[in-house]
């Protein structure tokens, strides 16, 4: 068994994808902090108009439900790399560590946490990582179909915030609501993202992201086909978000299921686009990729900023901010994180949570390079 991959030997494209993905995660989470107003579909405020309506449609077809499957695919890529150099118990330990980090994040800050869900998926699916790629894809398809079916049940306006504790009036109430919220989110998110983790393992084996210049044709196919399918399947629910129509009954269920299915397609499209961006040089590329090596630390830091700015028990901006304002706050948080973490990473510093996860994962094994 060998230890963690050193910075000098890392492939740039997966880290670049993680760095870019953090911007989409910030956008995807920011609107969940908008509370104390009527809440419609997918946690978006009801009655959006003007610029907010445009922002909502763009997010619904390109970001909402697309980002976390993409994140999951990159997690699966990492699992494939880990399985190449470490036995199954180490892979399971990685899952357990991520579950623990996710629990702390969810209980203390943001119960909409996704890290715990990925940890649970890794923990449960670790024995299957050694299966054939064909078997992993078949399992991904079966689990994905079931997840889409379950998603059809969430077909109407929510009425309440996705994360109700953000509107809690006191710190005690804020924290008391987190265990139940985090547990429910983790279980459901694990089901939704498990297919993408399995696909990510297959992508990791294929070498597509390791040498994107050689695989431009495949990446272009992913980018075009995935994006077209993601937008097409997401548009009906996007129009419901801004009040163009209100699908009900079987039609509403079909629209919700289509949006969920489009999430997997859209995630593949985004991954293809990020792979293409990794196949050419452009200004800031190295900085964004360097920040991608801090992806967990930056993801957690976004929650610190969002709670401080938006939560009712802190800054309270979530009670009055528009969707556009929340989105801009999210992008500004991402940009600041890229600059700070990118410069630190390029100076040879690892993210504190990345170090913690690696040390706990390899506890008792070869320390390697960290």
């Amino acid at each position: 068994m060998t230890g963690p991959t050193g910075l000098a030997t890392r492939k740039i494209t997966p880290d670049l994808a993680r760095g870019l993905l953090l911007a989409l995660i910030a956008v995807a989470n920011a609107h969940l902090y908008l509370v104390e107003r009527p809440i419609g579909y997918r946690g978006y405020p009801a009655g959006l108009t003007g610029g907010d309506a445009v922002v909502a449609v763009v997010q619904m077809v390109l970001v909402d439900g697309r980002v976390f499957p993409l994140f999951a695919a990159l997690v699966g890529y990492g699992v494939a790399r880990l399985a190449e150099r470490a036995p199954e118990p180490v892979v399971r330990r990685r899952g357990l560590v991520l579950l623990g980090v996710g629990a702390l994040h969810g209980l203390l800050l943001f119960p909409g946490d996704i890290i715990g869900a990925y940890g649970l998926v890794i923990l449960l699916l670790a024995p299957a990582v050694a299966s054939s790629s064909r078997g992993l894809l078949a399992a991904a398809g079966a689990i994905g179909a079931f997840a889409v079916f379950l998603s059809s049940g969430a077909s109407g306006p929510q009425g309440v915030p996705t994360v109700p504790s953000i509107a809690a009036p006191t710190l005690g109430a804020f924290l008391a609501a987190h265990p139940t919220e985090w547990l429910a989110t983790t279980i459901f998110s694990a089901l939704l993202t498990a297919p993408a983790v399995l696909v990510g393992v297959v992508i990791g084996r294929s070498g597509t992201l390791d040498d994107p210049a050689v695989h431009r044709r495949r990446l272009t196919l992913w980018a075009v086909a995935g994006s077209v399918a993601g937008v097409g399947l997401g548009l009906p629910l996007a129009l419901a978000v801004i009040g163009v129509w209100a699908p009900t009954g079987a039609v509403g269920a079909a629209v919700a299921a289509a949006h969920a299915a489009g999430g997997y397609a859209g995630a593949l499209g985004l991954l293809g686009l990020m792979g293409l961006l990794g196949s050419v040089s452009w200004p800031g590329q190295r900085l964004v990729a360097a920040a991608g090596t801090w992806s967990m630390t930056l993801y957690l830091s976004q929650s610190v900023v969002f709670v401080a700015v938006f939560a009712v028990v802190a800054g309270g901006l979530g009670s009055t901010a528009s969707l556009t304002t929340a989105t801009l706050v999210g992008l500004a948080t991402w940009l600041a994180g890229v600059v700070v973490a990118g410069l630190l990473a390029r100076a040879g510093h690892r993210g504190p949570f990345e170090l913690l996860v690696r040390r706990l994962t390899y506890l008792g094994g070869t320390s390697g390079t960290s």
Side-chain angles (χ1 to χ4, degrees):
M1 181 182 75
T2 59
T5 303
L7 284 173
T9 61
R10 294 176 71 101
K11 302 294 185 180
I12 184 174
T13 301
D15 286 331
L16 177 65
R18 294 183 184 102
L20 294 170
L21 175 61
L22 288 164
L24 302 180
I25 290 174
V27 169
N29 282 341
H31 82 276
L32 301 180
Y33 286 84
L34 300 180
V35 296
E36 296 190 343
R37 67 195 77 186
I39 302 297
Y41 296 88
R42 300 292 294 179
Y44 282 88
L48 295 173
T49 59
D52 281 351
V54 173
V55 170
V57 170
V58 172
Q59 290 187 15
M60 282 293 294
V61 299
L62 296 179
V63 177
D64 186 272
R66 282 90 178 118
V67 171
F68 293 112
L70 173 55
F71 200 173
L74 292 172
V75 169
Y77 171 91
V79 169
R81 295 281 83 85
L82 177 62
E84 289 175 353
R85 62 179 184 269
E88 183 185 317
V90 174
V91 177
R92 288 200 305 270
R93 194 179 306 136
R94 170 65 61 85
L96 188 61
V97 171
L98 292 182
L99 186 59
V101 172
L104 289 175
H105 179 217
L107 296 178
L108 298 178
L109 279 173
F110 180 54
D113 161 80
I114 197 68
I115 293 176
Y118 297 148
L120 181 59
V121 171
I122 294 171
L123 190 61
L124 294 177
L125 298 182
V129 171
S131 302
S132 68
S133 294
R134 182 174 296 179
L136 293 178
L137 292 176
I143 298 172
F146 182 60
V148 168
F149 171 74
L150 287 184
S151 298
S152 67
S155 58
Q158 292 181 194
V160 298
T162 302
V163 186
S165 59
I166 293 170
T170 66
L171 180 60
F174 176 75
L175 294 174
H178 284 178
T180 302
E181 292 177 353
W182 175 78
L183 183 60
T185 297
T186 298
I187 293 173
F188 188 61
S189 296
L191 175 63
L192 288 178
T193 57
V197 172
L198 294 173
V199 171
V201 173
V202 176
I203 291 173
R205 291 175 178 175
S206 72
T208 304
L209 296 182
D210 297 332
D211 196 353
V214 174
H215 298 284
R216 280 201 188 104
R217 179 175 297 180
R218 178 184 297 172
L219 291 167
T220 301
L221 177 62
W222 291 358
V224 174
S227 297
V228 169
V231 170
L233 291 169
L235 189 57
L237 192 55
L239 295 177
V241 166
I242 62 173
V244 171
W245 74 319
T248 59
V251 174
V255 167
H259 185 75
Y264 297 125
L268 187 63
L270 288 169
L271 186 61
L273 177 59
M274 291 174 178
L276 292 174
L277 288 173
S279 70
V280 295
S281 297
W282 42 274
Q285 181 190 51
R286 293 284 175 178
L287 185 66
V288 175
T293 66
W294 282 51
S295 59
M296 181 181 295
T297 295
L298 289 180
Y299 168 70
L300 296 172
S301 70
Q302 286 181 2
S303 292
V304 174
V305 173
F306 287 176
V307 168
V309 171
F310 293 114
V312 171
V313 296
L317 187 62
S319 300
T320 58
S322 67
L323 176 62
T324 301
T325 297
T327 300
L328 291 175
V329 170
L331 290 174
T333 302
W334 167 75
L335 183 59
V338 164
V339 172
V340 174
L343 291 175
L344 288 171
R346 294 186 71 174
H349 301 287
R350 301 300 292 263
F353 281 93
E354 284 71 18
L355 280 174
L356 175 65
V357 169
R358 280 165 173 76
R359 287 172 179 170
L360 292 178
T361 296
Y362 288 93
L363 191 65
T366 304
S367 60
T369 306
S370 60

